[in-house]
Each structure stands twice: as C-alpha cells, then as structure tokens.
Amino acid sequence: MWALDPRKLSVRWWKTLSNTRRVWLIVPLVFVIKYTIFVVIFLGLGGVFFLQKQHEKKAALELRKKHQEEAVVKAHAAPSPVNSSLKGLPKPKPTPVLGAAPTSKPKPTPMLPKPTPMLGQTL
C-alpha cells in the first residue's frame, strides 16, 4: 500500500483511472463501511443487553437479601407459642371434618322410549 501522497489523492489521479477500476475501488469501500457500522451497532446492542442483565441480577440479589432480612426480623419479633401470653386461655377445639351430604340416588333413565298406546285397540 502506498503512503498518503497528495498527488495520488488528487482529482487528476482519480480521473486517470478507468471506470472499472473506479468501481473496484468504491464497491469494497462501501461494504467495509457498512460492515463496520453493522459491527459497531451489534457490539453496542450486545453491550447494552449485557449491562441490563447485570443490573437485573444485582436488583434481584438485593431484593432477595431484603426479603431474607425481613423474614429474620419477623421470625425473631414474633412471640413463640411457648412464651406466649395466651398460655392461660383454653385451646380452640378443632372443627370436625364434615362428610358429604346425603343425596338420593338418581333413577336410571330407560334406554328405550315408552311404548305409545295403539289407537283403536277395539277388536
């Protein structure tokens, strides 16, 4: 590759090239620019996605710690049944489990329809 020489980068240098060579110089340059833009956008979105997931993990961990601390505080603050001030009160009786209500057995429906009386059975 030649060094950046102002004489070679001039408009005259460009005009001396044939049209096919101009196309061969421009086309790859366009694809390189598109590829570079695509890679930058792809890596940028990937980085944003990664940072978002890390933030969600951190928030979930903090929330879990907060719930654990609240549970520990609740467990230590609640009076235990042994040390309860309700010691002298009678214990509530357990409610009996009720059985199913008695229902009458449904009559089976006949498979055949009722016979219709014949008209005029007078013989």
Side-chain angles (χ1 to χ4, degrees):
M1 184 113 199
W2 41 269
L4 293 176
D5 187 8
R7 288 176 287 146
K8 290 186 178 180
L9 293 177
S10 68
V11 176
R12 281 184 279 145
W13 173 81
W14 181 255
K15 287 184 178 180
T16 58
L17 293 175
S18 64
N19 286 338
T20 55
R21 287 205 174 197
R22 286 182 198 167
V23 169
W24 282 110
L25 286 174
I26 292 174
V27 171
L29 185 64
V30 170
F31 286 121
V32 167
I33 291 171
K34 286 182 180 180
Y35 178 75
T36 305
I37 291 172
F38 174 76
V39 168
V40 167
I41 290 173
F42 183 75
L43 291 176
L45 289 175
V48 168
F49 181 76
F50 176 76
L51 290 175
Q52 180 183 4
K53 287 296 177 186
Q54 292 298 321
H55 179 71
E56 288 175 2
K57 285 182 183 178
K58 184 178 177 183
L61 182 64
E62 289 175 359
L63 188 64
R64 192 177 321 129
K65 282 184 180 179
K66 182 179 175 184
H67 284 302
Q68 285 178 349
E69 289 172 359
E70 289 175 358
V72 168
V73 169
K74 253 186 198 178
H76 289 286
S80 62
V82 175
N83 299 330
S84 175
S85 61
L86 303 174
K87 223 177 193 180
L89 296 176
K91 291 185 178 180
K93 294 179 183 176
T95 56
V97 177
L98 299 176
T103 57
S104 62
K105 200 170 190 181
K107 294 181 182 178
T109 57
M111 297 301 285
L112 298 173
K114 292 182 181 179
T116 55
M118 293 190 154
L119 300 175
Q121 284 188 357
T122 55
L123 275 178

